[in-house]
Each structure stands twice: as C-alpha cells, then as structure tokens.
Amino acid sequence: MTTPQGPGPWQPGGHDQPYQGQPHPAQQWQPAPARQPAEKKSGCMKWALIIIGVLILVATCSALVSGEDEDADSAVETSTTLPAPAPADAEPSDAVPEAAPEPAPEQQPEPEAADPEPAAPEVPREHQNALKAAERYLAYTSFSKQGLVEQLEFEDYSPEAAQYGAEEVGADWDEQAVKQGERYLDYTSFSQQGLVDQLMFDGFTAEQAQAAASRLF
C-alpha cells in the first residue's frame, strides 16, 4: 500500500504552483443558506398590487360622483338664479307691462224675488162674444162708438158687455165718421151742415162729424 506523501518543504517560487494537497479545514465546503421560495414572495406582491388597484378605483369613483354632484348643484343654482336687473341707462323695452289683475267684484246680494203679479181676471164669456159681434159689424159697415154700443144692446148684450165690445174692438172713430158720410152721399144729397147733423144723430161726436164733413166737402 502506498503512503500518501505530504507537502514538501517550502521552496522559493513555490507559491506560483497550485496547491496539490488537502484543503485547509477552514476552507472546506459549507452549504449555502436556505432561500425563501420565489412563489411566496411573488404571491404577496400580487395581493399588494390588487389592493392598491382597488383603492385607486374607489378613489376614482368617489371623485367622479362628487364631480357629478357639484355639476348638478351648479345647474340647479343657475336655473333658480333670478335675472340681473337691467342697467339704468338701458333703452326702455317696447313690451307692454302686464296689467295687474282686477280685484274680484264683490258679490251683490241677490234681489229678493218680487211677488208674482196677480193674474188678470178672466173675461166673462158674454164680454168675449160682444167683442166678436162688434168686429163682425165693423167688417161690413161703419158705426160710431155710441151707435155700436146701442146695436149690441139691441141684440140683448148687457150694457157692460156692449161697452166692453165697443172699447176693445180698436176702431178709429174719425175714419168711421168719414166712411159713414161717404155712404150717405152715395145714395142721397146733403149739405155740409146737414151731413154734420146726420152724423151726430148716428152717435158721432160734434168734432168727429165736423172733421168728416170738412173732408168730404
């Protein structure tokens, strides 16, 4: 068995030669310190970035919402702001100012209902018939008012009914006097005074007879 040889004595220039013997005990190999796994460190960084991103997103949303609220408040203030008054030296506008509303008229108390007028008394049947008879007589001949009353009484109407018929027939007695005078002159001759006397005999008044004779002569 061959015994290993130790290092020989030191020789000048011997440090240039590599050491061929056993390493020094202090220079023997030692294991490197253990390192943390890369996966664990990268996972922590990932969660940190996620949290930072969430915070940034929340801050951005809050800023946007507050900005919208400020815009809305500004719009409301602008819409409710009254227009500024016109300067004193501005030219007058042609617009007609609106008239002030008229005060409501005071309600007047309603007038009390007037008492109904009493109904006109009903005309008796005899008076109605006397009026119809008077209209029938004047339709074909002429009469004075007094002559018409006497004719109705001759037919047995009461004096009241005869008077009612002569008054309500609505005849123009002056015209009746003229018609009566014309009829007399158609079949006989009369003087003017004679005609006046005849008309007064028929019941015409002196004024009616004189006016009719003056028109016919």
Side-chain angles (χ1 to χ4, degrees):
M1 181 175 180
T2 304
T3 302
Q5 296 179 0
W10 177 84
Q11 297 178 2
H15 62 276
D16 295 334
Q17 298 294 327
Y19 179 71
Q20 300 293 333
Q22 294 293 330
H24 193 276
Q27 297 179 354
Q28 292 181 358
W29 176 85
Q30 294 180 1
R35 296 182 179 179
Q36 295 295 332
E39 291 82 359
K40 184 175 181 180
K41 185 176 181 180
S42 62
C44 294
M45 292 295 294
K46 180 178 181 181
W47 281 107
L49 292 176
I50 291 174
I51 293 173
I52 293 172
V54 170
L55 293 176
I56 294 174
L57 180 61
V58 171
T60 304
C61 293
S62 300
L64 292 176
V65 171
S66 62
E68 292 178 357
D69 293 340
E70 291 178 358
D71 293 341
D73 295 339
S74 177
V76 172
E77 292 178 359
T78 303
S79 62
T80 57
T81 302
L82 295 176
D89 56 351
E91 296 182 357
S93 175
D94 296 336
V96 179
E98 296 182 357
E102 297 181 358
E106 297 181 359
Q107 295 182 353
Q108 299 294 336
E110 295 182 357
E112 297 181 359
D115 296 335
E117 297 180 359
E122 186 177 356
V123 179
R125 178 63 59 87
E126 184 182 17
H127 289 56
Q128 296 178 12
N129 291 339
L131 177 58
K132 292 179 180 179
E135 293 173 349
R136 185 173 64 250
Y137 281 129
L138 292 178
Y140 70 89
T141 188
S142 56
F143 279 93
S144 65
K145 182 179 180 180
Q146 184 62 34
L148 185 58
V149 171
E150 293 175 356
Q151 181 64 32
L152 292 175
E153 289 179 351
F154 180 77
E155 294 188 6
D156 294 333
Y157 285 103
S158 65
E160 294 80 8
Q163 190 69 28
Y164 176 83
E167 290 178 353
E168 296 297 327
V169 74
D172 185 352
W173 303 116
D174 293 336
E175 289 297 326
Q176 292 296 319
V178 174
K179 290 180 180 180
Q180 186 75 347
E182 289 177 345
R183 191 179 55 172
Y184 281 132
L185 293 176
D186 285 342
Y187 68 87
T188 188
S189 58
F190 279 92
S191 64
Q192 183 174 355
Q193 186 59 42
L195 183 60
V196 171
D197 294 339
Q198 183 63 40
L199 292 176
M200 292 177 64
F201 179 80
D202 291 338
F204 291 101
T205 64
E207 291 80 6
Q208 292 170 352
Q210 188 66 43
S214 299
R215 288 177 60 181
L216 294 174
F217 280 90

